[in-house]
Amino acid sequence: ELKVEQNPLFLSMQEGKNYTIYCNYSTTSDRLYWYRQDPGKSLESLFVLLSNGAVKQEGRLMASLDTKARLSTLHITAAVHDLSATYFCAVDKSSGGGADGLTFGKGTHLIIQP
Amino acid sequence: DADVTQTPRNRITKTGKRIMLECSQTKGHDRMYWYRQDPGLGLRLIYYSFDVKDINKGEISDGYSVSRQAQAKFSLSLESAIPNQTALYFCATSSGQLHYTFGSGTRLTVV
């Protein structure tokens, strides 16, 4: 059974600081997704990471994937209040030979204070 | 118009009632999914479908059923709703290649 663990689950930080969210998963997969969700809203796709060593950046967010360690990170640089949201990582089961669909972590609730 | 449309957006129903949540898509994707979101638990897969003739259970299918009426339509039913089915429900589609597209969600409250 594929398990996806995120940490921390809750993070309060100040504007201007850097921080990293971690996502570990339990079985082989080379397709890792990061999503953002604002309260009561749908999921907004941030990154899709497809191979070992993949790194993608968009603005103050940078995501990386280490398939050997089964670890992905989402790094926030010089945080601003607008990045306050819940961030989910998800693993595509199908790429690991399992059933179709995404398995999600529990999410990291991020609050950035002025 | 949204690529993936869910109806209703919000619904309050009584325990024991049958309720159907509907999802339609204009993406032309073969694969469709129903997820449930509970606070602090992330999204969990209820059912998924590769095409009209292919329906598969996800990790939490008990108490739910689905119908794939056409490539573009995938409905989720609660035959006899119970309070612990109160949640935010998302429909999603995928071409099977890379990207998933999520609907806006249906907030269901069972009282």
Side-chain angles (χ1 to χ4, degrees), chain B residues 30-111:
Chain B
D30 291 330
R31 303 181 184 197
M32 299 188 73
Y33 310 82
W34 276 104
Y35 287 90
R36 164 180 176 159
Q37 184 178 19
D38 297 280
L41 292 180
L43 279 75
R44 293 178 291 167
L45 184 62
I46 306 172
Y47 271 97
Y48 60 102
S49 169
F50 289 175
D51 62 39
V52 174
K53 298 180 181 179
D54 186 282
I55 303 291
N56 302 277
K57 291 183 177 181
E59 59 182 299
I60 55 163
S61 59
D62 288 348
Y64 302 94
S65 62
V66 291
S67 173
R68 184 84 183 262
Q69 303 96 321
Q71 186 204 35
K73 295 183 182 295
F74 192 36
S75 300
L76 176 72
S77 293
L78 288 68
E79 296 300 325
S80 179
I82 56 177
N84 76 1
Q85 290 177 314
T86 293
L88 184 57
Y89 291 85
F90 285 103
C91 174
T93 73
S94 170
S95 64
Q97 296 301 313
L98 190 61
H99 291 289
Y100 291 77
T101 302
F102 286 83
S104 298
T106 294
R107 184 168 296 281
L108 176 65
T109 303
V110 183
V111 297

Side-chain angles (χ1 to χ4, degrees), chain A residues 34-94:
Chain A
W34 283 97
Y35 291 93
R36 168 182 172 147
Q37 185 182 39
D38 293 300
K41 303 294 186 182
S42 187
L43 279 74
E44 174 190 352
S45 179
L46 295 175
F47 302 106
V48 183
L49 303 170
L50 300 177
S51 60
N52 187 41
V55 177
K56 291 195 173 180
Q57 183 166 3
E58 181 72 33
R60 300 174 187 274
L61 300 178
M62 182 174 71
S64 66
L65 178 62
D66 181 344
T67 58
K68 294 180 180 178
R70 297 176 186 168
L71 171 69
S72 180
T73 61
L74 180 66
H75 187 73
I76 302 158
T77 301
V80 293
H81 179 68
D82 286 351
L83 290 178
S84 296
T86 299
Y87 293 85
F88 292 96
C89 66
V91 175
D92 194 326
K93 301 172 195 171
S94 58

